[in-house]
Amino acid sequence: MKNLQVQIDDHSGFCFGVVYAIEMAEEILDEQGYLYCLGDIVHNDEEVNRLTRKGLKIIDHGDLHGLRDEKVLIRAHGEPPSTYELAIKNNLTLIDASCPVVLKLQNRIKNSFDKDEKIYIYGKHGHAEVIGLLGQTNNKAVVFQDISELDIATLPKNLTLYSQTTKSTDKFYQINDILTQNGIAVNTNDTICRQVSNRDKELRDFAAKFDKIVFVSGTKSSNGKVLYNVCKEKNPNTYFVSNPEQIEESWFNPNESVGICGATSTPMWLMEQVKERILTF
């Protein structure tokens, strides 16, 4: 035995938006034994598999067109107006678990669009939340993942800047500064969820306390990639895993301290399983 000291980060695990969506899903699964969900309920395969075993049926927008007279869960990422229009047409009951932070952002973007503002959204191309945001503008807003994607010389002299709720606060304000330094008047809307962004500092503090860090996240999680890099910068001895089977005993030396943390889409039960496996070494 390597006598490893293992601790899970208290601040890691599901954000309130994900908790809300999963609680709604489980309540209906307990009542009727099955429930359709539009897209992965959370970007974590282990949690999706757990809920699938309980009767959750993951569908995509193509499937939605052929569905009639059923209940469908809208996950925390939110949906564009077209989804709600289709639900009315197909007599679907939407169980709307859109995160309140995302819904507020959708409304703000819709108001900006109604005022004919030039809207730019800092976010991941093709991300479910971003698709919902774009839908508020009839897909006319400009989405960019990095400032390098924008030709600053041809940008409008006045623009309105928003962000996907899970992006980096530091990067968002760097983008804002670059735009203003180039003479662009920016109507800046900091729409980043503080429950997510505050984890940057919390994770830096946590990662510095241990010899090794095991970061647990689904590979589809944007937030997971960001927070993993935060840990890696602070503690180079940081390892990324999606499940306990991926952990290697060779990563650890005798008597080391090990910290376990994860994304806003990582369930606590999965981090507990990771801890149990490490303690077997």
Side-chain angles (χ1 to χ4, degrees), residues 106-123:
Q106 287 185 352
N107 288 331
R108 290 177 68 177
I109 288 179
K110 177 69 166 62
N111 288 336
S112 291
F113 178 69
D114 290 343
K115 295 174 186 173
D116 291 326
E117 296 175 13
K118 306 296 184 185
I119 301 168
Y120 285 72
I121 301 171
Y122 169 46

Side-chain angles (χ1 to χ4, degrees), residues 77-97:
H77 298 102
E79 282 291 319
S82 56
T83 299
Y84 295 87
E85 291 162 9
L86 180 61
I88 293 169
K89 181 182 170 186
N90 286 6
N91 195 36
L92 299 171
T93 301
L94 294 184
I95 312 300
D96 200 339

Side-chain angles (χ1 to χ4, degrees), residues 118-126 130 134 141-152 155 159-164 167 171-176 178-179 186:
K118 306 296 184 185
I119 301 168
Y120 285 72
I121 301 171
Y122 169 46
K124 182 180 178 183
H125 296 292
V130 172
L134 266 175
V142 176
V143 174
F144 65 100
Q145 291 182 192
D146 191 86
I147 190 74
S148 62
E149 295 176 28
L150 301 179
D151 181 4
I152 292 178
L155 291 179
L159 63 82
T160 298
L161 181 65
Y162 286 98
S163 173
Q164 180 181 336
K167 299 302 281 183
K171 189 90 180 284
F172 176 75
Y173 280 103
Q174 286 171 15
I175 290 164
N176 180 70
I178 291 168
L179 293 173
V186 185

